[in-house]
Amino acid sequence: MLLGKVIGTVWSTRKDENLVGSKFLIVRQVNLELEPQKSTVIAVDSVGAGFGEIVLVAQGSSARQTTFTKNKPVDAVIMAIVDKLDINVKEQLKEILEN
Amino acid sequence: MLLGKVIGTVWSTRKDENLVGSKFLIVRQVNLELEPQKSTVIAVDSVGAGFGEIVLVAQGSSARQTTFTKNKPVDAVIMAIVDKLDINVKEQLKEILEN
Amino acid sequence: MLLGKVIGTVWSTRKDENLVGSKFLIVRQVNLELEPQKSTVIAVDSVGAGFGEIVLVAQGSSARQTTFTKNKPVDAVIMAIVDKLDINVKEQLKEILEN
Amino acid sequence: MLLGKVIGTVWSTRKDENLVGSKFLIVRQVNLELEPQKSTVIAVDSVGAGFGEIVLVAQGSSARQTTFTKNKPVDAVIMAIVDKLDINVKEQLKEILEN
Amino acid sequence: MLLGKVIGTVWSTRKDENLVGSKFLIVRQVNLELEPQKSTVIAVDSVGAGFGEIVLVAQGSSARQTTFTKNKPVDAVIMAIVDKLDINVKEQLKEILEN
């Protein structure tokens, strides 16, 4: 899954009939320090994510495995809202020293 | 999903028999300011998108979840025409200041 | 789908038994001006494409949606031979001026 | 599959109901010398992987082929813990000399 | 499919129970001149490929379409051993002259 932050919404009236009611959110990818990265993805929300929240996005056919997205033409879904990341300190230090 | 703009059409006479009647559009990826990016994708239209319109493209197996593309050998479909993007201003500013 | 040009063939005797009879073509990605790009993909031919022809390649599970590739371990298929591209002139000009 | 090292955990309370009990690990991609690379992926653990372990990650629909991930909206799974890599010395040397 | 060369093996004792008996090979991507490239992928062998052999790798759900990989959590499979590549000379020359 991709780690990202909800930064906006896409509005669409003309869309596939199965998508009526689906909410398209704009998610900007973030790194492990939660800093915004360049790439963004448009994902359907299945967990009630709000602006500024850190989320996990599942892509591909896995994006259709929620009750909100089943059999729908969507390739990205927000399936979890992140409480916190827990990064192993020793690993983090080693990586900083090595780089 | 990928955000893009319809910029052309691909004409093809010799194609898989299941694709007769499918309309292949050329979509150039755009960023959140709707500025054209380098990458393009050829996608089947399922919503009647026209030249210059901003659209969402679903890729992979999800591209086969519309009535127009079911069981067809296509890996990208236009499944929504975008009315507008709504980007959180605070997030936008923070990102500009941080970058 | 990806736009490419057929530039060669891959010969293979030892392969998955389901692939006997499948023709593997080497496709070089081209841009919208049909200029060769760096990346290449090996794709199964389902439409009788020949050397030098411009084709569309579908990837992922969609590559298995032709009668030639059904249930076979292939992740790329040539499913259309391109007659011509029709790019919106106004869009083209705007992009040239903006870049 | 992707070769990576487990470097952390993602905690999430609000998530798709099918994901209750799933453990999300942060995996940093490593090269064949096991040196950390830039990209990371969040993957569900299906083999009891711990911090610092070298693992294989399967992505896409294949990530749903374990008993832990079946029918769940996840696109990456840790499906093996790596004991060791065995790289052909001759190949390694040739590559070093050629590069 | 991706063109690559087998350069090693991954050993794993603790893995998904469906993967017992699967052989994980390290494949380095090669270009059309068979020169090693940067990216590598770990793929299950379904054709008895050996060290140094040039192979084709199918990825994604297509990697599960061999008898060795059916319903298993693997996203890359070696499904063919390459005898030779046949590149159209005229195309090759044109590309060299144009670049």
Side-chain angles (χ1 to χ4, degrees):
Chain A
M1 272 68 63
L2 179 151
L3 191 69
K5 185 188 214 165
V6 180
I7 64 162
T9 309
V10 175
W11 298 95
S12 167
T13 315
R14 288 175 291 162
K15 56 188 165 190
D16 185 87
E17 55 182 8
N18 282 318
L19 294 173
V20 174
S22 295
K23 194 174 175 184
F24 295 107
L25 295 183
I26 306 170
V27 178
R28 181 174 292 284
Q29 195 170 355
V30 298
N31 64 15
L32 298 181
E33 283 73 41
L34 308 186
E35 296 162 346
Q37 304 299 296
K38 262 211 139 181
S39 85
T40 54
V41 65
I42 314 294
V44 167
D45 181 27
S46 80
V47 288
F51 280 124
E53 281 191 299
I54 300 297
V55 296
L56 292 184
V57 174
Q59 293 182 280
S61 60
S62 301
R64 301 196 307 271
Q65 303 290 320
T66 74
T67 47
F68 289 85
T69 53
K70 206 169 177 190
N71 299 326
K72 294 183 183 176
V74 300
D75 63 9
V77 72
I78 297 174
M79 26 55 84
I81 298 171
V82 173
D83 296 328
K84 67 163 188 158
L85 302 183
D86 211 351
I87 319 257
N88 187 282
V89 181
K90 207 169 114 197
E91 286 300 323
Q92 252 182 325
L93 272 177
K94 203 169 19 168
E95 274 172 35
I96 288 166
L97 291 171
E98 277 171 354
N99 285 296
Chain B
M1 273 67 64
L2 178 152
L3 191 69
K5 186 189 213 164
V6 180
I7 63 161
T9 309
V10 176
W11 298 95
S12 166
T13 315
R14 288 175 292 162
K15 55 188 165 190
D16 185 88
E17 55 183 8
N18 282 317
L19 294 173
V20 175
S22 295
K23 194 173 175 185
F24 295 107
L25 295 183
I26 307 171
V27 178
R28 182 173 291 283
Q29 196 170 355
V30 298
N31 64 16
L32 298 181
E33 283 74 42
L34 306 186
E35 294 163 347
Q37 304 298 296
K38 262 211 139 182
S39 84
T40 54
V41 67
I42 314 292
V44 167
D45 181 26
S46 79
V47 288
F51 280 126
E53 281 191 299
I54 300 297
V55 296
L56 291 183
V57 174
Q59 294 182 280
S61 60
S62 301
R64 302 196 307 272
Q65 304 289 320
T66 75
T67 48
F68 289 85
T69 53
K70 206 169 177 191
N71 299 326
K72 295 184 183 175
V74 300
D75 63 9
V77 72
I78 297 174
M79 26 54 85
I81 297 171
V82 173
D83 297 327
K84 66 162 189 160
L85 303 183
D86 211 351
I87 320 256
N88 187 283
V89 182
K90 206 171 116 197
E91 286 301 322
Q92 253 183 325
L93 272 177
K94 203 171 16 169
E95 275 172 34
I96 289 165
L97 292 171
E98 276 171 354
N99 285 297
Chain C
M1 273 69 64
L2 178 151
L3 191 70
K5 186 188 213 163
V6 180
I7 63 162
T9 310
V10 176
W11 298 95
S12 166
T13 315
R14 287 175 292 161
K15 56 189 164 190
D16 185 89
E17 55 183 8
N18 283 318
L19 295 174
V20 175
S22 295
K23 194 173 175 185
F24 294 106
L25 296 182
I26 307 172
V27 179
R28 183 174 290 284
Q29 195 170 355
V30 299
N31 64 15
L32 298 182
E33 282 74 41
L34 306 186
E35 295 163 347
Q37 305 298 297
K38 263 210 138 182
S39 85
T40 55
V41 66
I42 315 292
V44 168
D45 181 26
S46 79
V47 288
F51 280 125
E53 282 191 299
I54 300 297
V55 296
L56 291 184
V57 174
Q59 294 181 279
S61 60
S62 301
R64 301 195 309 272
Q65 304 288 320
T66 75
T67 48
F68 289 84
T69 52
K70 208 173 174 187
N71 299 326
K72 295 183 182 176
V74 300
D75 63 9
V77 72
I78 297 174
M79 26 55 85
I81 297 171
V82 173
D83 296 328
K84 66 163 190 158
L85 302 183
D86 212 351
I87 319 256
N88 187 283
V89 181
K90 205 171 116 198
E91 286 301 322
Q92 253 182 324
L93 273 177
K94 202 170 19 168
E95 275 173 35
I96 288 166
L97 292 171
E98 276 170 355
N99 285 295
Chain D
M1 274 67 64
L2 178 152
L3 191 69
K5 186 188 213 163
V6 180
I7 63 162
T9 310
V10 175
W11 298 95
S12 166
T13 315
R14 287 175 292 162
K15 55 189 164 190
D16 185 88
E17 54 182 9
N18 282 319
L19 295 173
V20 175
S22 295
K23 195 174 175 184
F24 295 107
L25 295 182
I26 306 171
V27 179
R28 183 174 290 284
Q29 196 170 356
V30 298
N31 63 16
L32 298 181
E33 284 73 41
L34 307 186
E35 295 163 347
Q37 303 299 296
K38 262 212 138 181
S39 85
T40 54
V41 66
I42 314 293
V44 167
D45 181 27
S46 78
V47 288
F51 280 125
E53 282 192 298
I54 300 296
V55 295
L56 292 183
V57 175
Q59 293 182 279
S61 59
S62 301
R64 300 196 309 270
Q65 303 289 319
T66 74
T67 47
F68 289 85
T69 53
K70 208 170 174 187
N71 299 326
K72 294 183 183 176
V74 300
D75 62 9
V77 72
I78 297 174
M79 26 56 84
I81 297 171
V82 173
D83 297 328
K84 66 163 188 159
L85 302 184
D86 211 351
I87 319 256
N88 187 282
V89 181
K90 206 170 115 198
E91 286 300 323
Q92 252 183 325
L93 273 177
K94 202 168 20 165
E95 274 174 36
I96 288 166
L97 291 171
E98 276 171 355
N99 285 297
Chain E
M1 273 68 62
L2 178 152
L3 191 69
K5 185 189 215 163
V6 179
I7 63 162
T9 310
V10 175
W11 298 95
S12 166
T13 316
R14 287 175 291 161
K15 55 188 165 191
D16 184 88
E17 55 181 9
N18 282 318
L19 294 173
V20 175
S22 295
K23 195 174 175 184
F24 295 106
L25 295 182
I26 307 171
V27 178
R28 182 174 291 285
Q29 195 170 356
V30 299
N31 63 16
L32 298 181
E33 283 74 41
L34 307 186
E35 295 163 347
Q37 304 298 296
K38 263 211 137 182
S39 86
T40 55
V41 66
I42 315 292
V44 168
D45 181 27
S46 79
V47 288
F51 280 125
E53 282 191 299
I54 300 296
V55 296
L56 291 183
V57 174
Q59 293 182 280
S61 60
S62 301
R64 301 195 309 272
Q65 303 289 319
T66 76
T67 48
F68 288 85
T69 53
K70 207 171 174 187
N71 298 326
K72 294 183 184 176
V74 300
D75 63 8
V77 72
I78 297 174
M79 26 55 85
I81 297 172
V82 173
D83 297 328
K84 68 163 188 157
L85 302 184
D86 211 352
I87 319 257
N88 187 283
V89 181
K90 206 170 115 196
E91 285 301 322
Q92 252 182 325
L93 273 177
K94 203 167 22 165
E95 274 173 34
I96 289 166
L97 291 171
E98 276 171 353
N99 286 296

